[in-house]
Amino acid sequence: MARRISGRNTKGGERSGDTRHLPELAEGQKPSRDDILRFVSENPDRSGKRDIARAFSLKGDDRVWLKDTLRELEDEGLLEKSRKRLIRPGALPHVVVLDIFSRDPDGGLLARPSERSSDNSEQNPLVAVKLSRGTKGPTPGVGDRVLAKVFPTNQPTGPAYTARVMKIFDKRSEAVLGVFRVAHDGTFRIEPVERRQPELVIDTEFRNGAEPGDLVEVEPSRHGRYGLPKGKVLNVVGSLTSEKAVSMIAIHAHDIPHIFPRDVIDEAEAAKPATMAGREDWRSLPLVTIDPADAKDHDDAVHAEPDADEKNPGGVIVTVAIADVAAYIRPGSALDREALRRGNSVYFPDRVVPMLPERISNDLCSLKEKVERPALAVRMTFSAEGRKIRHSFHRVMMRSAARLAYPQAQAAIDGSPDDATGPILDGVLKPLWAAYEVLKRGRNAREPLELDLPERKILLKPDGTVDRVIVPDRLDAHKLIEEFMIQANVAAAETLEAKRQKLVYRIHDGPSLAKQESLREFLATLGLSLARGAQMRPSQFNAILDRVRGAEQEQLVNEVVLRSQSQAEYSPDNIGHFGLNLRRYAHFTSPIRRYADLIVHRALVSALGLGSDGLTRGEEDRLEETSALISASERRAMAAERDTVDRLIAGYLAERIEETFDARISGVVKAGLFVQLPQYGADGFIPVSSLDGDYYIYDETARALFGERTGKGYQLADRVEVRLIEVAPLAGAMRFEMLTEPRPLPGSKRSFHKAKGQKSRARAAQPRRSSRRR
């Protein structure tokens, strides 16, 4: 006998008519571990502790037993925590973006997750797309990208999941990107950027002015059974040697919308400046913007002053004003639909692909110096210890007193004011820095995760090619703005939660138990210990980082701790932010470049009665879908930005084959070593087959490859010397040869016996080069 659990009918329709089965349990009988694992697999939308207890009718002491059992299953790696739910390791999230690529023999649609894992394993399972009867709107087909809710099939054969479509994205363009070439027989060819695309032949009449070496967009045409397919050039992007072409490759490869539709442009151009109606007049408050020197939009301004309240000695009042984008981007408008489609702005070394048209982002919503602009502001009062006492939100009209760059503001505080900062040094800037000192006390007491990993910036020449790569100074001016924005984001989340208003949180889960154990094993190889326990705190990681500060292993430990962390994302369900060590956190401070912040602005307008342009009921009902969309857009942007940097650096170094470089091992896998050139921030690969003189064993725990015979090898973060052997600029790939001799690795003999029969082994395929440096 089996009990049936009827799925809830929701507007998303994901469980309509669906059922799940549970074993029939006698009165007082507890479910087995297999019963629990099966339930979690079959009910991804209802797999929290309370859901499991309710499903098995567990009460009282049985719930304590369930909590202990779930902890054991996590410790053993059989379950993982994802937000407030439990999932099986390797399982897809409940809401995921899918690419429909084919049909099964019965005509059903087949899809795979659009974000592919690196190893093509269970992270990329086959998904059968189910179409609900009577669904309104367009029907998905092959080639579509969709947002869907997925459910495991638990069948031994066929797709691992079924999916119910929530949203169909715009169809992907048929155009492909490639390089215009002249073949040896004189014909014009297109060398595709993506390997999966075939080479195309271009007839002379469809050349459209393209010259050899140009990066072009091409529309493939239908072709016969024989010969290469043909196409016609739609657009000449530019020379492949220009940086603009490199970023366009990433834009195209990651399907990033970069051309605003006509109706969006028309709507933006027709927008009128906001008026004082319904706003407080803050135009006399000397708010200032502090941004990068090359910033074109300014969406946040700050002010601080001592608290005059005698009951709060040493306290400060901090004000953060954010551009009122919600006043211009109304729900359901063409601007709103396009902003959601983009999700966020994407930043490349030479350009920005904005979320909003320039008329909005660089004009009406940019807090320009001495210009009236609408804003949504939060005023926060802190005690002398940096503890927030109270806060309030206001819809205002402001006028920025000054537009400052980070180095400019810092120089003024350090004793070198200029014409812009001199007049406001005592009245505006010094109170800001005094308030930051107060907020630092609160931050230090909170103990967020403090990783020390420098960020690099590519500087370009006037012609768009790489000039050099730098590590910008990390100034107190940067930290001040960062801490002010964090506190404003916390205030937004707290206000909306107190008002019981739905919103999108910025969440960051703690490291899974499996990742904790992996990190713990690694630290043990360095003689470091990490306390056990499911409820880890950032301070425990900080203690480890403090112990290695200034030591040879500092960079290594920072890298490994970073890789043990979960990825931050957006969700209507709050689990807190682990890295910042905050219980409530929402993005509020950048609505020009992040759609999540626009949602939070609208939610505040609704919750506080600040206008008629707040969050609608329809938007509230779609928050889970919206969160999945903007989380996917964020990951897409990060991948495109990373790929562009890789291609730029690869192109920059293409003329330096056979040169040697100082490098650091940035990744260790069975197939070899990833090395990063610190001077450039770019990665390349050394195949394990090219490592001479021994059989090399992959030790996952130690993040190392070591020789079976000698016990010597290479470990993550080792500093090494390498020779550049091969460069593929279009792919952003570089291959290196190792010049540094392997070193003795602590515990390598022990690791070998543990790894034998389980880890991969590879033997050097090439003899040692006589030119190798020693």
Side-chain angles (χ1 to χ4, degrees), residues 182 381 499 561 683:
V182 179
T381 302
K499 292 291 185 178
V561 169
D683 286 300

Side-chain angles (χ1 to χ4, degrees), residues 448-468:
L449 185 61
E450 300 282 5
L451 289 167
D452 184 14
L453 295 167
E455 294 186 9
R456 288 168 176 79
K457 182 177 182 179
I458 293 180
L459 300 182
L460 303 177
K461 298 176 182 177
D463 63 359
T465 58
V466 175
D467 181 15
R468 64 189 189 277

Side-chain angles (χ1 to χ4, degrees), residues 81 508-513 516 536 564-566 575 578:
K81 189 177 180 183
H508 181 221
D509 207 351
S512 67
L513 289 175
Q516 288 180 36
M536 296 290 294
S564 72
Q565 304 301 307
S566 303
I575 63 168
F578 178 82

Side-chain angles (χ1 to χ4, degrees), residues 33-100:
R33 289 158 54 99
D34 286 342
D35 293 336
I36 294 172
L37 293 173
R38 187 176 302 111
F39 177 83
V40 170
S41 295
E42 295 180 347
N43 298 272
D45 55 336
R46 293 184 295 151
S47 58
K49 293 178 183 178
R50 291 183 180 179
D51 297 314
I52 298 171
R54 190 180 300 115
F56 290 102
S57 302
L58 300 177
K59 299 178 181 178
D61 291 342
D62 287 346
R63 291 202 171 204
V64 177
W65 169 86
L66 176 64
K67 182 179 179 181
D68 293 339
T69 301
L70 294 176
R71 175 72 58 80
E72 291 174 1
L73 293 171
E74 287 187 75
D75 286 339
E76 295 170 18
L78 298 174
L79 288 178
E80 289 181 355
K81 189 177 180 183
S82 176
R83 301 180 186 175
K84 293 184 178 180
R85 301 182 179 120
L86 293 163
I87 62 172
R88 298 300 301 274
L92 289 179
H94 180 45
V95 178
V96 67
V97 178
L98 301 173
D99 285 330
I100 301 174

Side-chain angles (χ1 to χ4, degrees), residues 161-466:
Y161 295 84
T162 61
R164 296 188 184 278
V165 175
M166 301 167 63
K167 178 183 178 65
I168 304 174
F169 296 104
D170 292 340
K171 282 189 175 291
R172 303 171 78 176
S173 171
E174 292 299 323
V176 299
L177 206 64
V179 181
F180 191 82
R181 305 285 196 199
V182 179
H184 65 277
D185 60 359
T187 60
F188 298 122
R189 304 285 181 91
I190 298 297
E191 177 189 345
V193 168
E194 297 186 43
R195 295 179 183 177
R196 67 175 182 269
Q197 293 288 348
E199 189 177 24
L200 299 174
V201 174
I202 305 295
D203 291 334
T204 302
E205 62 267 30
F206 297 125
R207 180 177 174 176
N208 199 16
E211 297 293 337
D214 281 349
L215 185 71
V216 296
E217 285 186 309
V218 180
E219 180 182 22
S221 58
R222 297 185 180 276
H223 61 281
R225 185 177 302 179
Y226 306 104
L228 291 173
K230 294 187 176 184
K232 61 180 179 180
V233 175
L234 297 177
N235 178 42
V236 177
V237 177
S239 171
L240 189 62
T241 59
S242 74
E243 196 282 334
K244 180 180 179 181
V246 176
S247 58
M248 182 57 73
I249 292 174
I251 289 169
H252 191 93
H254 292 277
D255 298 316
I256 295 175
H258 64 287
I259 300 175
F260 285 106
R262 186 70 254 169
D263 59 341
V264 174
I265 295 295
D266 290 343
E267 197 171 280
E269 294 299 327
K272 304 297 182 184
T275 67
M276 280 293 302
R279 298 180 183 278
E280 300 176 39
D281 189 349
W282 282 24
R283 288 174 291 183
S284 62
L285 185 69
L287 290 149
V288 296
T289 62
I290 307 178
D291 292 293
D294 56 355
K296 294 182 179 179
D297 58 66
H298 310 274
D299 56 4
D300 58 82
V302 293
H303 177 266
E305 61 185 350
D307 187 3
D309 188 346
E310 295 180 354
K311 296 180 181 179
N312 186 28
V316 294
I317 299 174
V318 172
T319 300
V320 175
I322 305 299
D324 191 356
V325 178
Y328 296 99
I329 313 300
R330 301 302 177 95
S333 65
L335 278 166
D336 182 53
R337 291 193 302 271
E338 183 66 14
L340 176 56
R341 187 167 79 101
R342 295 180 177 224
N344 47 251
S345 299
V346 187
Y347 294 84
F348 299 104
D350 75 315
R351 72 168 86 189
V352 176
V353 179
M355 184 180 78
L356 299 171
E358 189 171 317
R359 165 68 171 159
I360 302 295
S361 61
N362 293 4
D363 185 6
L364 294 178
C365 286
S366 185
L367 305 181
K368 297 182 176 181
E369 185 177 20
K370 311 296 185 184
V371 178
E372 292 184 7
R373 285 290 181 258
L376 193 57
V378 57
R379 179 168 282 160
M380 302 170 284
T381 302
F382 294 88
S383 70
E385 293 75 32
R387 179 178 56 85
K388 183 156 63 70
I389 298 173
R390 70 183 72 89
H391 69 264
S392 59
F393 280 88
H394 309 262
R395 210 167 193 186
V396 307
M397 185 67 75
M398 60 161 282
R399 184 189 290 119
S400 171
R403 172 200 169 192
L404 305 177
Y406 286 118
Q408 180 185 18
Q410 188 67 55
I413 291 295
D414 292 341
S416 301
D418 58 17
D419 292 343
T421 55
I424 61 173
L425 178 59
D426 292 329
V428 176
L429 294 182
K430 287 184 177 180
L432 281 172
W433 258 256
Y436 171 56
E437 289 300 320
V438 171
L439 266 62
K440 270 203 302 188
R441 296 173 198 146
R443 179 185 175 89
N444 292 338
R446 191 176 82 238
E447 292 191 274
L449 185 61
E450 300 282 5
L451 289 167
D452 184 14
L453 295 167
E455 294 186 9
R456 288 168 176 79
K457 182 177 182 179
I458 293 180
L459 300 182
L460 303 177
K461 298 176 182 177
D463 63 359
T465 58
V466 175

Side-chain angles (χ1 to χ4, degrees), residues 4 85 148 359 442 526 535 589 660:
R4 290 161 60 103
R85 301 182 179 120
R359 165 68 171 159
L526 302 179
Q535 299 301 320
T589 54
T660 59

Side-chain angles (χ1 to χ4, degrees), residues 708-728:
E708 175 186 15
R709 178 176 53 82
T710 64
K712 296 180 180 180
Y714 305 94
Q715 189 174 36
L716 184 70
D718 279 355
R719 296 185 182 278
V720 295
E721 186 178 26
V722 298
R723 178 182 288 113
L724 183 59
I725 299 301
E726 183 181 4
V727 177

